[in-house]
Amino acid sequence: MAVGNIRIASKPCASCGRVQKFERNALVWGGGDLVLVLLTWGAWAILKILINAGTNPWRCSRCGARG
């Protein structure tokens, strides 16, 4: 992932017991992704979004728990 592409959201944390800031890396698209989307008729875009959702969880900025 590219540095500096962090998304932030406020959510209740089960570990901390109060609303905290949660962070995760944003999904970054590059030139190679464009080529793969065109070659696979869009299947690569769906696959990349699903992989990102599974491997890039929201994390509490205070305790590090997944949210």
Side-chain angles (χ1 to χ4, degrees):
M1 280 282 167
V3 176
N5 291 319
I6 296 177
R7 296 180 61 197
I8 299 173
S10 294
K11 298 180 179 185
C13 179
S15 297
C16 297
R18 58 185 193 179
V19 176
Q20 295 289 339
K21 285 195 284 186
F22 277 71
E23 301 175 342
R24 82 183 222 182
N25 291 328
L27 183 61
V28 178
W29 296 89
D33 292 315
L34 175 62
V35 172
L36 284 171
V37 166
L38 294 174
L39 289 175
T40 62
W41 293 317
W44 174 249
I46 296 168
L47 184 63
K48 182 166 180 163
I49 291 169
L50 291 175
I51 290 171
N52 183 58
T55 61
N56 189 16
W58 288 96
R59 294 206 176 261
C60 177
S61 61
R62 182 169 184 229
C63 69
R66 290 182 175 196

